[in-house]
Amino acid sequence: VTTTTNTSTAVSFMNTYDQYCGIDGFTIYRGRGREAQLPQLGSYGGGIFSYRASPVITNNIIRECGSAGISAFSGGGGICCHDGNVVIENNLIESSLAQSGGGIYAYRATVTARNNRIAGSRPNAEYTGAKNGGGIYALYSTIVLENNVIEGNEGYRYGGGIYGYFSDITIAADTISSNAVSMGGGGICTERSELGAARAVIVGNTSAGQAGG
């Protein structure tokens, strides 16, 4: 096992549309992210940054990655995906830091995620901008989920487990539990999106405002 630590993004895949690329069996620790505008200016992809690429990300531990300051936006503490078809499978993504999309942030991307555990993400409590999607944040994206565990993500406003905006999200046999938000959708929150769910376990999610589930 190789441990990768970086003051910027730990691992990047960029402009490799039709080429095979990926990472398997690494421990990625405390990558911080890189500045980009996806769509707003901020720090993205603390652990892994995928830009116009289609990597296969398997069997990794992505731990304590990302950044969440008081004043700046950040997305995808664990993984950020933009404009590609990304496969994320059998990974542990935990204790991520990001204002939105603590575990995974997808913008105009297609993401297939299977058998991952995404847990313990959080934003900065003093940040006053958007704080949505503790486990997964999807913006203009297609997200296919199967047999993931998304749990214990806290401190966000909407969508403690999953947040989708103008996105298509499919859930199959996922467990979304013990996530907590301040406004609405402790487990899942979608706006202007399509959501399909089968055999999912959505339990123990809480909201201080609107619906907990």
Side-chain angles (χ1 to χ4, degrees):
V1 175
T2 301
T3 299
T4 301
T5 305
N6 202 312
T7 56
S8 180
T9 293
V11 177
S12 297
F13 301 99
M14 303 183 70
N15 299 309
T16 58
Y17 273 123
D18 300 321
Q19 303 175 37
Y20 175 81
C21 59
I23 182 169
D24 180 86
F26 281 70
T27 296
I28 301 171
Y29 180 65
R30 289 190 174 176
R32 288 295 169 242
R34 62 189 301 152
E35 186 174 290
Q37 191 153 346
L38 299 176
Q40 70 185 94
L41 184 64
S43 176
Y44 294 87
I48 297 174
F49 182 83
S50 175
Y51 180 83
R52 295 181 177 173
S54 298
V56 178
I57 301 167
T58 54
N59 303 311
N60 303 287
I61 298 171
I62 303 171
R63 179 175 288 145
E64 294 183 25
C65 289
S67 60
I70 294 174
S71 60
F73 181 79
S74 59
I79 301 171
C80 175
C81 312
H82 170 57
D83 196 8
N85 295 286
V86 183
V87 175
I88 303 170
E89 190 166 6
N90 297 326
N91 301 279
L92 172 60
I93 306 170
E94 66 177 10
S95 302
S96 302
L97 296 172
Q99 315 293 22
S100 288
I104 299 170
Y105 182 100
Y107 172 55
R108 297 191 183 278
T110 297
V111 174
T112 301
R114 305 184 193 94
N115 303 320
N116 303 284
R117 181 174 183 263
I118 304 170
S121 302
R122 66 185 189 278
N124 189 299
E126 298 181 49
Y127 179 68
T128 59
K131 293 192 288 189
N132 302 321
I136 298 172
Y137 178 99
L139 176 62
Y140 301 112
S141 292
T142 298
I143 309 294
V144 179
L145 304 175
E146 183 179 355
N147 202 36
N148 301 281
V149 175
I150 304 172
E151 63 182 2
N153 303 288
E154 299 180 347
Y156 294 89
R157 292 198 179 100
Y158 293 94
I162 300 168
Y163 178 85
Y165 188 76
F166 279 107
S167 294
D168 293 334
I169 300 171
T170 303
I171 299 169
D174 298 275
T175 298
I176 303 169
S177 66
S178 302
N179 302 286
V181 297
S182 61
M183 296 299 292
I188 302 170
C189 179
T190 61
E191 298 182 68
R192 302 180 183 182
S193 298
E194 292 189 9
L195 174 66
R199 307 185 312 280
V201 177
I202 304 172
V203 63
N205 303 287
T206 59
S207 169
Q210 302 167 25

